[in-house]
Amino acid sequence: MDRSSHPRSRRFAPVIAVAAAAALTLAGCSSSSGGKKSEEGAANASAGKATTPRMTVALVTHQAPGDTFWDTVRKGAEAAAAKDNIKLIYSADPNAGNQANLVQTAIDQKVDGIAVTLAKPDAMKGVIGKADKAGIPVVGLNSGLSDWKQFNMLEFFGQDESVAGEAFGKKLNEVGAKHALCVIQEQGNVGLTQRCDGVEKTFDGKLDVQNVNGADKPSVKSTLTAKLKQDSSIDYVVTLGAPFALTAVQSVSDAGSKAKVATFDLNKELIQAVKSGDIQFAVDQQPYLQGYLAVDGLWLYKNNGNYSGGGEQPVLTGPAFVDKSNVDKIAEFAAKGTR
Amino acid sequence: MSMTQQAEPAVTSPPVSGPGKEKDGRTQQRSLVLRLLARPEVGVFLGALAILVFFLIMAPTLRQGSSMSTVLYQSSTIGIMVLPVALLMIGGEFDLSSGVAPVASALTASMTAFELTLNVWVGVIAALVVSLAIGFFNGWLLVKTGLPSFLVTLGTFMGLQGVNLAVTKLVTGNVATDDISDMDGFDQAKALFASSFDVGGVNVKVTVLWWLAFAALATWVLLRTKYGNWIFAVGGNKDSARAVGVPVNFTKISLFVLVGFGAWFVGMHNLFQYNTVQSGEGVGNELIYIAAAVVGGCLLTGGYGTIIGPVFGAFMFGLVQLGIVYATWNPDWFKTFLGVMLVGATLVNLWVRKQATRR
């Protein structure tokens, strides 16, 4: 019965070969604009190199695969590790139970320090206690502002999502917004919900919330278009991540709406959009700084016994506003994908 | 649109019709309405119609032409992928990698063009080669090993997820690709994959046209060609199909390659509409594609189904997703509404078919 399979499947070989040949033929035509060649080779931030003994630090986050924000956190951590002569072990899992297991593997490897996010604090409590018992210093970053001290952690680097939301709400008042739409790209995420709640707290106008499917851009786009058409009184769209802000700009134009777009968090393309005026402003919690300071904080503790934030207070990395007035300064760093 | 092109599927297995089909008094006496209702796509058509009427009442904004255009756009980005997925299901297999495959394709195109600073079209063609190769690999592995398609494509799904992420990071240093909108060929490619035009003041996305054109083509292939017969045959009963000379392996592999083509097309739309691609996208869409095909009357067991049904299935998905927004329901319940309406629509679909086939 298998006799038919061989000649049949072979029929595809010429097809693929032809397509490949076509691709090669086309390879003659290179692009005269854009592309890698137009990018200047900018060096990453570096600040000499420590001669202290090599140590190992584990950074365990709740990153979902392919998220640009977390990639920036990781780059900050890597930069600090390179400078401090640290071997950095990065791991991540959005599922809280799996993330706790990853911390456990770091304890098993007897690392010299652990930096961890507390997106779901309850699930992490037990394993952080274990690290404490094993004498491994643990620092928090990004999420867990209300829990890090109770967990007996060393220090914390991040942004208070509620505070950032409140700052955002005040800014909306300043620019004269009346009716804003807060767009949540991941239904049920505590930090994102806190941001919208924070905006609502200080914003004088009306705030609606809209959930979208962040894993599917066409779906984000048409959902926002639908919402803007449904309610033409919306004059500001607030997104909670940079890629969604850029999609929201398309939705606004599709819906024929006059709404402006502002966002939390930055990336390379977003900086351009702020420059061109498509995006009004962005709240930056400086993810690079969070990763960098968390790793550097552990190094300082081990080598000099320092406590960032005095061991009492968190070290806040945001909210910093990026708008037309200061975007040019940031653009050169953002081109490297580190802002 | 393609309602007029329906014809009896050449080979349908479920209702056992004996040799004396022509003389069977029962089928003769059944009224036109009942015979119409027994068709697999009519149930989903009525289900979609019911939901449409419901939302037209609940959400005044949906009554505007421009709102309908948004719904059609949403449906088309799902629908283009649902077409090959439905054909594959009629052929008795399914593909769990169909959600992340468009992302793989878009990443290939974007990185090939950007990193080598080539005309965007080179990337587009490289992506086509990669997409078809992924489809071929799925089909080839299936017929070579005899493993169920659930397992084979689950492997490809996970493999691709990792490759999408790791290769992007390795090549670009970031987890998203660079903006290619200022490169040569971008505008032409955008015109083909992601343009839009005005019809009577309503902005229509080109994907809607592609969707309907591909649907018409797929319907013709399924009902009017030998290859269409082969699809029904391999999905109905592989061994008897092989016994009567149907090239089973060729049919199965080519169906997976077709899914690869669909993934390429959707991937190119996403790339040229949004300029950059995030490597973690697409997960979960495979279930939406499969669900839309099932709602559209394709059996999970294969051998039965149409193309028009899944077209309405995709439309229903787009409609429910956006109808909830137009109706301004509490967004916390978004997914729940979606689930309830979909199961409800499928039940209506089933019920209609049962009423019609019962005497």
Side-chain angles (χ1 to χ4, degrees), chain B residues 233-317:
Chain B
V234 299
N237 189 329
K238 196 170 64 177
D239 294 328
S240 25
R242 190 170 271 142
V244 297
V246 172
V248 173
N249 289 347
F250 167 77
T251 309
K252 295 232 169 190
I253 293 176
S254 61
L255 284 171
F256 277 104
V257 172
L258 271 181
V259 174
F261 178 83
W264 170 72
F265 200 91
V266 171
M268 290 310 101
H269 169 72
N270 286 0
L271 175 61
F272 292 107
Q273 182 70 54
Y274 305 100
N275 307 348
T276 61
V277 200
Q278 270 181 286
S279 52
E281 282 179 16
V283 178
N285 280 1
E286 63 281 347
L287 295 179
I288 292 183
Y289 303 142
I290 291 170
V294 171
V295 167
C298 294
L299 293 184
L300 275 168
T301 47
Y304 185 75
T306 62
I307 284 302
I308 298 152
V311 167
F312 283 117
F315 175 68
M316 201 190 282
F317 255 94

Side-chain angles (χ1 to χ4, degrees), chain A residues 1-2 4-6 8-9 11-12 19-20 23 26-27 29-37 39 65-68 71 75 187 209-211 213 215-219 221-223 225-227 229-230 243 247 250 254 268-269 336-337, chain B residues 61 66-67 70 73-74 77 114-115 117-119 122 125 129 136 144 165 169 173-179 182-184 205 242 247 249-250 253-254 257 270 273-274 276 278-283 285 321-322 325-326 328 331-332 335:
Chain A
M1 280 302 148
D2 232 334
S4 64
S5 81
H6 231 263
R8 297 291 172 196
S9 54
R11 280 189 187 178
F12 288 94
L26 267 170
C29 23
S30 57
S31 178
S32 57
S33 59
K36 186 88 172 172
K37 275 185 191 160
E39 267 197 356
D67 190 319
T68 50
D71 198 40
K75 279 179 181 160
Q187 190 175 349
V209 173
Q210 180 65 53
N211 292 323
N213 174 12
D216 185 24
K217 281 240 182 83
S219 173
K221 179 174 155 168
S222 44
T223 306
T225 308
K227 181 68 187 176
K229 261 185 205 148
Q230 181 271 322
T247 306
Q250 292 192 6
D254 268 16
K268 213 155 64 165
E269 278 76 32
K336 291 180 289 183
Chain B
T61 333
S66 60
S67 304
T70 310
Y73 167 64
Q74 169 83 328
T77 58
F114 186 87
E115 296 301 323
T117 319
L118 296 174
N119 188 297
V122 181
I125 287 164
V129 173
F136 178 83
K144 270 289 164 206
L165 196 64
K169 176 92 190 184
N174 300 307
V175 291
T177 62
D178 296 271
D179 191 343
D182 56 350
M183 296 181 67
D184 288 354
K205 299 277 177 212
R242 190 170 271 142
N249 289 347
F250 167 77
I253 293 176
S254 61
V257 172
N270 286 0
Q273 182 70 54
Y274 305 100
T276 61
Q278 270 181 286
S279 52
E281 282 179 16
V283 178
N285 280 1
Q321 280 179 349
L322 298 186
V325 179
Y326 284 121
T328 66
D332 293 346
K335 292 250 168 86

Side-chain angles (χ1 to χ4, degrees), chain B residues 38 40 50 58 100 103-104 150 152 179 186 195 202 212 235 244-245 251 263 272 315-316 347 359:
Chain B
M58 297 297 290
V100 291
V103 181
F150 182 93
V152 169
D179 191 343
F186 184 87
S195 59
V202 175
L212 298 180
V244 297
T251 309
F272 292 107
F315 175 68
M316 201 190 282
L347 285 177
R359 21 170 311 132

